Amino acid sequence: DDWDRLFARMEAMNFPLAANPAKAMKVRAWAYDSGGAPGVTQQAYDAWLRHKALKKIRLLGVFDGRHGWSALPLKGQGRPNAPPLQIVMPDTQRKDRRVKGGAAVPQGQFNANWFKDALAGQLAIADGGAWSVHIPAALKSEKEPHLFFEGLLAEDRGKSGVWSHTRNVRNEPTDLMVGCHVVAHLHGLAKLDWTRPPAWAGPHDSNTMITDAVALSTDAAPAPAKPAQTEAASAADRAARLRRLAERLTR
C-alpha cells in the first residue's frame, strides 16, 4: 500500500509556477532506490510492474542508447570504475533480484562516486549560473543549520575516490540530489541544446509539461480500512512514533 501511495502521488505531483500559480509543471520522470531491508527489492519491482500494467509508466525515449522511463528503480554502485549510468534488467537467477513470474523490470545502475563528485562541484559554485545549486529560502535558519545542510555534509571523499558516510547524521539530502541528477542525466540534460530545447524543457508558453495547477491531497491513494482505535491508544501511538523519529534524527 505504501508503494502504491508513492506512485500515485508522483503521478499527480505538480509544481505551481511563480509567475502564474494557476498553472503548474508536472513531473516528467522520477526514480526510487530499489534496495534496502529484506523484501524491499521485490516490493520495488512489483510496484513498477503494477503501474506499468496500468499504463502509468511510459518509455519516453532512448537517450545515448539508454531507455528513459517515466519511473525507474535505481541502485548505486560503489566501485570507483563502475560505468556512470546504465539501464539493466536484474539477473533473475539471483535470489535477491528474482522477480516473481520472470517479468522484466529495468533498473538504473549508476556510479555513486561519479555523481557525488559532480554534486560536490555543483555545490562549490557560489555565484549562480550553469550547474549551480539553488537553495530554497525556506531552509534558512537563524539558529542551527537546517538538517538538509547537515545531510549534505554527511559523507566524505576518500583518497581512492570513494565516498563514505562518516558523520553521525542521515545522508538523505545527498542521496536525493544525486538521484535527481541521475534521472536528469538519463534524459539527456548534459547534452541539451538550450537554443532549441525539447518541448518538455521549452518556455512555459509552449512547454508540454505545463498544466492547470491541482492541489494534492494528503493521501494520493486510498488507504485500507483500519480497526478503530481509542483516543488514548492513538495518542500513545503518536508519542511512540515521535520518540522513534527523534532517536533517528539524533543518531
Side-chain angles (χ1 to χ4, degrees), residues 8-15 25-27 214 216:
R9 190 165 184 82
M10 293 306 300
E11 289 154 10
M13 185 70 69
N14 63 102
F15 297 88
M25 181 171 286
K26 297 181 294 184
V27 174
V214 178
L216 295 178

Side-chain angles (χ1 to χ4, degrees), residues 26-39:
K26 297 181 294 184
V27 174
R28 172 177 166 82
W30 64 286
Y32 56 94
D33 193 343
S34 61

